[in-house]
Structures are given as C-alpha cells and as structure tokens.
Amino acid sequence: MTRPRTSRQFDELLARLPSSHAPFSAREAEDAGLTNRQCRDLVDRGALVWPIPGVYYRHGVEDSQELRLAALRLIVPSDCVVTDRTAAWLWLGDRALAPGEHLTVPRVSVFAPPGRRLRNGLVDSGERRLALRDAVEVNGVLATTPLRTACDLGRLLHRDQALAALDALASLCSVEEIAGELPRFKGFRGVIQARMLVSIADAGAASPFESIARLRWWDAGLPRPQCQVPVDAPDGGRYYIDIGLPEERFGLEYFGEEFHGPSQRSHDRARLLWLRERRDWILTVARRRNVVGRGQDLPITLRRRWDAAGRIRRRAGGAHSAA
C-alpha cells in the first residue's frame, strides 16, 4: 500500500512545477521531474487544476479566455478547429460545462483538415463541413464561432444540455441570430431538436441547471416564463426569482448545492417566506434530484401547482363578481 504524501512532500512537488501562472503540459511536468500520478495527486489536493487532458495550471490562477487559449495551444495543432463543447468552454469558461462536467476531464473536441485525423489520445477529432464564416482565429487558436457552436450543440447534445448551451451562447450571439442560422442545417442530424429548443432559449438563464429546470417547466405545459424576475425586497433592494410569471406571481426557484447549502438555509427560508407571504408569490423550490435523474418529478409538481393556482384564481374571480 502506498503511504499518503506528507505536506512537505507536496510542497516539494509544487516547487518542481514548470510555471506559477501559465498552463503547462504533462510533458513539461515530466521534464521537470513530475509523473502523471504526482500531478493527479496535486489535482486531488486542490493545488493544480486539470482543465483539459494533458494540461495543468496552478490553483488560484484566475480563469480567463487567454488562460483557456494558452491551454488549448499546448495540445491543439494550429490547423485544426476547436469545436462543440470545447469551443463553448473557450468562449464561456465553466458556464459552458454540462452539469457535473467539472468532475471529469473530457477530451478536447477538434476537427482536422480533410484527410487528417489526430490520434494523440487527448482529443476527439474528425472532419466537418465548415464555411469560412464558421471559424475564427483567436490568438493562435482556430475555433468555431459562438454562432456555429450554438447551432452544433443545439443539434448534437441531449436536449437538456443542448438548451443549456443555447442559453449560455445566446449571451454572445442572440437567440434571433441562432434561429436565423439554423435553416442552413436542414436535413442535418438533430436540426429538428435545435429548432424547437431555440424557440424557447433565453440568455437570461443564470446556470445550466436553471436552463434544464426551465425545460421541465415547458414539459409541464406552462406559459412562457421570464428568467430572473425582479421583486422588491424588504431591505429596499431586489430579489430575483429564477423562473417566473410576474403577472400570475407564479415561479420556480432552483436551489443548487453550491449557493444554497446548509450555510444559506436561514437566508433562503426568510427570502421564500417574504416572497410567499408578503408578495403573494406561489413558488416551487427544486433541487437537483427534482430536475435530473430517474426520479425527477418537477414537471408533475409544477403542473399540479399551476392547476391548483388556477382554481384559486377562478374562485377569487367568482367571489369578486358575486360581490
């Protein structure tokens, strides 16, 4: 059995790292005397970040597009085009990751010139028909534009992740631009899905899970909602309801573990109480288990509460007419 490394041993490994502020390749780490296993130990300890296969950088280095470009330049040939999830990550950083994808290190998606296929174990490569306007060079890296990336991900991903990608990329190219570009993909795989999803895409979604929760809202057959609905707060500021119908005061809040853990429970409870009792909002709170997975129940819950709210509104309207 291998003994756990001591803090001193980890410090010695850190001292060997090739750079303190820029990404470096696994080969550079090996040249500095670190094995892949030692690098992975540093990742597990939180000292290194492993954003893409074969590339690391020190924890604490601020994420930026230039950092992501530097990482890609280490493993992507200059004549290959970064595509799909990797292109979205280049443009948007972690916001483009699928739920749970931060726990894995997916291969880099690239497409090579005709007749060429990369086999370095770090990338998924192949060929794809790209128009000249579909790709752009950014500081030495060729990548599909946000518009082409949105069209591809809207077609090729599972519907949950596809809507999340469309919402995120709509902050760089509008929903209207994406809808206007999709007709050129008539007959391509997944274009029917992309057309449906772009009709409900919204750049106002704050996270992938909020996008998926909004898709469950549509699955429940509810009217088109608004993202990030502002409501006056008791301190004079604003609360923002993740998904809602302001006129009906009917909404959905997604409570992810990162921002709504035990330390936030008291604040969340007070916020919900204010919105429900002082602002008359009917709110459904969803957790991850309600939104994804085999036990997801959000569409059923939303439909039941919407129907119940409708009955209450009709009774109130009838009482008002009688008076």
Side-chain angles (χ1 to χ4, degrees), residues 160-175:
D160 288 1
Q161 298 179 18
L163 181 60
L166 288 171
D167 283 351
L169 287 160
S171 64
L172 301 178
C173 55
S174 70
V175 171

Side-chain angles (χ1 to χ4, degrees), residues 15-68:
R16 295 187 215 166
L17 293 177
S19 174
S20 61
H21 62 279
F24 55 88
S25 67
R27 177 62 61 86
E28 290 176 299
E30 184 179 350
D31 291 343
L34 282 84
T35 66
N36 281 336
R37 179 66 266 172
Q38 289 171 332
C39 287
R40 305 289 172 79
D41 287 346
L42 289 172
V43 171
D44 292 341
R45 195 176 176 88
L48 284 183
V49 177
W50 189 20
I52 56 177
V55 177
Y56 303 92
Y57 60 83
R58 289 179 185 254
H59 178 75
V61 176
E62 185 176 358
D63 180 52
S64 66
Q65 187 178 84
E66 184 49 50
L67 183 73
R68 300 190 291 272

Side-chain angles (χ1 to χ4, degrees), residues 115-172:
R116 182 179 178 192
R117 191 175 184 90
L118 303 181
R119 292 182 173 85
N120 62 7
L122 304 178
V123 303
D124 280 330
S125 72
E127 297 179 13
R128 183 174 296 186
R129 285 179 288 173
L130 297 174
L132 287 177
R133 71 176 189 271
D134 288 335
V136 63
E137 181 180 350
V138 187
N139 290 350
V141 175
L142 283 170
T144 50
T145 63
L147 180 58
R148 175 61 197 248
T149 305
C151 291
D152 288 340
L153 295 183
R155 293 186 301 112
L156 302 176
L157 294 181
H158 179 276
R159 68 193 290 262
D160 288 1
Q161 298 179 18
L163 181 60
L166 288 171
D167 283 351
L169 287 160
S171 64
L172 301 178

Side-chain angles (χ1 to χ4, degrees), residues 256-270:
E257 295 177 0
E258 183 178 1
F259 298 109
H260 297 276
S263 63
Q264 289 293 313
R265 195 164 294 156
S266 176
H267 174 268
D268 287 338
R269 188 179 296 114

Side-chain angles (χ1 to χ4, degrees), residues 8-250:
R8 179 177 179 180
Q9 288 172 325
F10 274 109
D11 289 341
E12 291 173 351
L13 292 178
L14 284 171
R16 295 187 215 166
L17 293 177
S19 174
S20 61
H21 62 279
F24 55 88
S25 67
R27 177 62 61 86
E28 290 176 299
E30 184 179 350
D31 291 343
L34 282 84
T35 66
N36 281 336
R37 179 66 266 172
Q38 289 171 332
C39 287
R40 305 289 172 79
D41 287 346
L42 289 172
V43 171
D44 292 341
R45 195 176 176 88
L48 284 183
V49 177
W50 189 20
I52 56 177
V55 177
Y56 303 92
Y57 60 83
R58 289 179 185 254
H59 178 75
V61 176
E62 185 176 358
D63 180 52
S64 66
Q65 187 178 84
E66 184 49 50
L67 183 73
R68 300 190 291 272
L69 285 165
L72 290 169
R73 283 195 294 264
L74 291 172
I75 63 169
V76 177
S78 60
D79 61 344
C80 293
V81 182
V82 174
T83 62
D84 300 335
R85 275 281 189 208
T86 310
W89 174 72
L90 168 61
W91 295 118
L92 294 167
D94 287 351
R95 186 184 171 197
L97 296 179
E101 200 167 60
H102 66 288
L103 303 175
T104 64
V105 185
R107 288 187 175 188
V108 173
S109 297
V110 305
F111 280 82
R116 182 179 178 192
R117 191 175 184 90
L118 303 181
R119 292 182 173 85
N120 62 7
L122 304 178
V123 303
D124 280 330
S125 72
E127 297 179 13
R128 183 174 296 186
R129 285 179 288 173
L130 297 174
L132 287 177
R133 71 176 189 271
D134 288 335
V136 63
E137 181 180 350
V138 187
N139 290 350
V141 175
L142 283 170
T144 50
T145 63
L147 180 58
R148 175 61 197 248
T149 305
C151 291
D152 288 340
L153 295 183
R155 293 186 301 112
L156 302 176
L157 294 181
H158 179 276
R159 68 193 290 262
D160 288 1
Q161 298 179 18
L163 181 60
L166 288 171
D167 283 351
L169 287 160
S171 64
L172 301 178
C173 55
S174 70
V175 171
E176 291 75 19
E177 286 181 281
I178 301 170
E181 190 75 1
L182 282 175
R184 65 178 279 211
F185 297 96
K186 181 179 180 180
F188 281 54
R189 177 164 65 96
V191 71
I192 294 176
Q193 170 182 277
R195 286 172 182 163
M196 187 282 290
L197 292 177
V198 78
S199 70
I200 62 173
D202 193 320
S207 73
F209 267 114
E210 284 187 24
S211 297
I212 299 171
R214 199 173 79 259
L215 186 56
R216 303 291 179 262
W217 176 291
W218 284 101
D219 290 341
L222 273 59
R224 188 182 191 98
Q226 177 181 329
C227 292
Q228 304 302 314
V229 181
V231 180
D232 291 338
D235 61 0
R238 289 284 182 89
Y239 287 144
Y240 289 89
I241 296 171
D242 293 336
I243 304 165
L245 298 167
E247 292 184 1
E248 305 289 349
R249 298 194 180 187
F250 185 91

